[in-house]
Amino acid sequence: MTEFRIGGRKGFASDNWSGVSPDVMEALRAVNHAHHPAYGENDPLLEQAQELFRQHFGPDSQTFFVYNGTGANVLAVQQLLRSWEAVVAPHSAHLNEDEGGAPEKFTGGKILTVHTEDGKISPSDVEPFLNSIGFQHHVQPRLISISQSTEKGTLYSCGEIAELARFAHQNNMFLHVDGARIANAAVAMDVSFREMIVDTGVDVLSFGGTKNGLMFGEAVVFLNKELARGFEYSRKQGMQLASKMRFILAQFIVYLGNGLWKRNAEQANNMARLLADSIVSVPGISLSRPVQANGVFAVMPKKLIPRLQKEYFFHVWDEDTGEVRLMCSFDTSREDVDGLVHAARRLMQNVDDR
Ligand SMILES: Cc1ncc(COP(=O)(O)O)c(C=O)c1O
């Protein structure tokens, strides 16, 4: 029997450091029998999964399954952008900072960024870029991309999303939402995906699964089928067509079909709230941002950080200020939160730079 060197204690590095929801693992096992059509072609699982997405996003939506979040974002943007056009996004967007230049490489277009403190943009941030419209020397702004929840742990209200969509459409642009953590956002706001995405007028959504209990698999959801024309070809060209598609489909069927998305996000969000409330009781630690979904941003003494990281790993967000990001995931427990807070309190006693 092969032995695996397994990882240690759970940490707070990111919500994709967690494993797979037991229900998801069961779904993977359940479809791991006999032969299934490859690529989802004529596979009844494809219709079943797409029907679940239609229940959430309406009959005019069209959903395509891909491997990962970068692929979902890049392909979604590529679909709506020509190489002389640009996407406007917050500087902190995953699309801009963490996709290794893939959006620029695959779209040929440019990302025009806005520096924001809270990771959010509004129409007034996009407005200055409109001066380039019709000027042949400038890239033409064509798409706005926002993340829900954002990379800074914040949320857009439905009203803010609707305002951005309206502004985009008035100016012949589209609105893309990076929903790698859309389940956490919907649960935190107590709204449905339909209220947040369809009713607000979003054009295309990257729907995340991996950060909320799936092994792999994300979806690109076009809210208007017209915009999806030819997408199956660009997905293949973009190397995101899964050959053993059944394993992505089965995960989404259990994820959307039995409320797993909600239960997992509730747990992650609740643990973030608990963590936020309890970590501030440690002298020298304070919250640096509002906690709105499953991410907690805090400032702590710089000498504490490496010591605490040895016990519960997490990422430093700002080396200068000592801001760290503590992400909770569907499998974060009260014991994990208590363990981190106790460790911080214990280690703080030996830290002399507060
Ligand atoms: C906001 C956001 N979008 C997209 C992704 C998708 O990334 P990946 O390509 O690793 O699945 C991530 C993951 O870190 C993310 O945080």
Side-chain angles (χ1 to χ4, degrees):
M1 171 113 163
T2 309
E3 284 194 20
F4 297 97
R5 297 173 65 182
I6 56 169
R9 199 197 305 243
K10 273 186 259 166
F12 293 81
S14 188
D15 33 10
N16 57 5
W17 281 46
S18 55
V20 172
S21 271
D23 287 358
V24 168
M25 197 56 103
E26 198 37 57
L28 289 166
R29 274 210 195 88
V31 295
N32 188 31
H33 63 85
H35 283 200
H36 260 246
Y39 308 108
E41 284 162 10
N42 300 316
D43 186 340
L45 292 177
L46 178 61
E47 176 48 30
Q48 200 181 342
Q50 285 178 330
E51 174 53 27
L52 285 166
F53 272 88
R54 279 194 295 274
Q55 284 170 16
H56 284 283
F57 294 101
D60 295 334
S61 66
Q62 194 165 0
T63 298
F64 298 84
F65 298 94
V66 296
Y67 279 115
N68 61 18
T70 299
N73 282 346
V74 170
L75 289 177
V77 169
Q78 178 180 265
Q79 181 73 2
L80 301 179
L81 212 65
R82 287 186 281 185
S83 61
W84 61 89
E85 293 174 333
V87 48
V88 181
H91 194 272
S92 53
H94 194 269
L95 193 73
N96 180 52
E97 290 205 309
D98 288 305
E99 298 188 355
E104 292 90 336
K105 174 176 176 175
F106 285 93
T107 67
K110 185 165 174 152
I111 305 179
L112 301 170
T113 65
V114 180
H115 284 269
T116 66
E117 184 46 37
D118 61 0
K120 290 168 58 174
I121 52 174
S122 65
S124 62
D125 294 313
V126 183
E127 198 136 27
F129 296 109
L130 301 184
N131 294 330
S132 295
I133 292 180
F135 186 55
Q136 65 178 339
H137 303 279
H138 285 186
V139 286
Q140 299 297 292
R142 183 74 165 133
L143 187 63
I144 299 170
S145 179
I146 60 172
S147 302
Q148 177 80 322
S149 59
T150 74
E151 292 75 2
K152 307 242 173 142
T154 48
L155 293 169
Y156 289 87
S157 69
C158 291
E160 288 171 327
I161 297 175
E163 205 190 338
L164 274 164
R166 233 181 349 261
F167 175 85
H169 299 153
Q170 276 163 0
N171 291 290
N172 197 28
M173 297 172 80
F174 298 111
L175 179 63
H176 165 249
V177 172
D178 175 349
R181 297 190 177 92
I182 190 168
N184 302 94
V187 163
M189 294 162 68
D190 195 21
V191 296
S192 63
F193 294 137
R194 186 182 288 256
E195 287 168 298
M196 189 198 294
I197 300 296
V198 186
D199 298 351
T200 54
V202 171
D203 296 294
V204 62
L205 164 72
S206 304
F207 184 94
T210 314
K211 290 192 173 358
N212 197 32
L214 266 57
M215 184 179 281
F216 53 85
E218 316 270 305
V220 180
V221 184
F222 291 94
L223 283 309
N224 165 355
K225 285 195 185 77
E226 278 301 297
L227 297 179
R229 208 177 299 154
F231 189 79
E232 61 270 44
Y233 306 109
S234 72
R235 176 179 58 177
K236 176 69 191 188
Q237 199 172 56
M239 298 163 280
Q240 287 279 327
L241 175 61
S243 153
K244 291 193 176 174
M245 179 70 89
R246 73 173 114 157
F247 292 106
I248 297 182
L249 302 175
Q251 292 182 77
F252 274 116
I253 289 168
V254 69
Y255 187 70
L256 287 181
N258 79 2
L260 182 63
W261 66 271
K262 208 172 199 173
R263 290 195 299 281
N264 279 357
E266 271 165 5
Q267 177 67 16
N269 290 4
N270 288 343
M271 289 305 102
R273 192 65 264 158
L274 177 69
L275 175 56
D277 290 344
S278 46
I279 202 145
V280 290
S281 68
V282 180
I285 301 184
S286 58
L287 298 181
S288 49
R289 301 176 187 282
V291 176
Q292 298 186 329
N294 62 324
V296 176
F297 289 76
V299 174
M300 52 179 73
K302 289 181 200 160
K303 283 192 186 163
L304 172 67
I305 294 173
R307 297 178 202 180
L308 191 53
Q309 279 175 321
K310 280 197 190 127
E311 299 197 23
Y312 289 89
F313 190 72
F314 53 86
H315 290 297
V316 176
W317 225 241
D318 187 331
E319 297 282 352
D320 294 335
T321 60
E323 184 181 40
V324 304
R325 187 190 73 164
L326 305 162
M327 289 305 296
C328 293
S329 116
F330 77 91
D331 68 346
T332 304
S333 65
R334 282 177 179 273
E335 292 70 37
D336 299 324
V337 171
D338 289 348
L340 173 74
V341 174
H342 286 141
R345 197 185 305 285
R346 173 170 40 80
L347 293 167
M348 266 308 282
Q349 286 163 3
N350 305 320
V351 169
D352 52 16
D353 67 344
R354 345 181 181 152

